[in-house]
């Protein structure tokens, strides 16, 4: 079964890197966002199975985008992928409804985490 994923990150390099990590797996990237505003809009339009969301982005930061997405869809499966891995950010993201938190660039667990929540 194919799992539909949206990647929201302001870095084109990171979006390509994550897409390559998911290549040849059951995860299909169906959309990308380069800022928090786009992330919310694309989530509402595409309703992906999983959203990979950065915290540091223009227009709207990832934490605010996470809150808006969870208000729209309390069952959303969001994984934060951010270099901002301080414990306060991890705790806040999980309290707002994120399913997990990956600290960039430690993507060695990405498939394990996605398998756990999909």
């Amino acid at each position: 079964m194919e799992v539909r994923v949206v990647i929201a990150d302001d870095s084109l390099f990171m979006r390509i890197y994550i897409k390559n990590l998911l290549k040849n797996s059951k995860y299909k990237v169906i959309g990308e966002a380069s800022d928090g505003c786009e992330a919310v809009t694309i989530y509402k339009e595409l309703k992906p199975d999983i959203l990979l969301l950065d915290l540091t982005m223009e227009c709207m930061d990832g934490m605010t985008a996470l809150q808006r997405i969870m208000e729209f869809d309390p069952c959303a499966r969001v994984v934060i992928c951010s270099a901002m891995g301080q414990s306060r950010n991890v705790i806040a993201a999980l309290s707002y409804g994120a399913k997990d938190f990956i600290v960039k660039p430690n993507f060695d667990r990405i498939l394990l985490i996605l398998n756990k929540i999909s």
Side-chain angles (χ1 to χ4, degrees):
M1 179 179 92
E2 195 171 74
V3 179
R4 301 166 348 113
V5 177
V6 167
I7 302 169
D9 197 301
D10 61 333
S11 166
L12 175 60
F13 172 81
M14 287 308 303
R15 292 194 311 269
I16 292 169
Y17 181 76
I18 294 169
K19 276 197 302 194
N20 285 334
L21 288 175
L22 300 180
K23 198 180 282 186
N24 300 322
S25 72
K26 69 179 183 177
Y27 301 99
K28 179 181 180 187
V29 177
I30 60 166
E32 297 179 36
S34 61
D35 65 47
C37 295
E38 283 184 356
V40 173
T41 300
I42 289 173
Y43 184 88
K44 289 179 177 181
E45 288 175 1
L46 300 179
K47 298 176 184 72
D49 299 310
I50 297 173
L51 171 64
L52 299 175
L53 181 65
D54 187 16
L55 289 183
T56 307
M57 294 186 289
E58 295 293 320
C59 179
M60 177 190 304
D61 65 73
M63 203 68 77
T64 304
L66 171 63
Q67 292 170 328
R68 299 249 173 98
I69 289 165
M70 296 310 293
E71 288 169 4
F72 171 76
D73 178 5
C75 296
R77 290 181 283 181
V78 180
V79 175
I80 302 298
C81 299
S82 178
M84 305 295 289
Q86 295 90 344
S87 61
R88 72 181 190 300
N89 288 331
V90 175
I91 292 167
L94 296 175
S95 72
Y96 292 139
K99 301 299 182 202
D100 214 322
F101 197 111
I102 298 171
V103 179
K104 290 178 187 176
N106 301 318
F107 287 104
D108 54 327
R109 296 182 27 222
I110 192 166
L111 290 176
L112 177 68
I113 289 168
L114 296 182
N115 287 336
K116 181 178 74 171
I117 67 169
S118 63

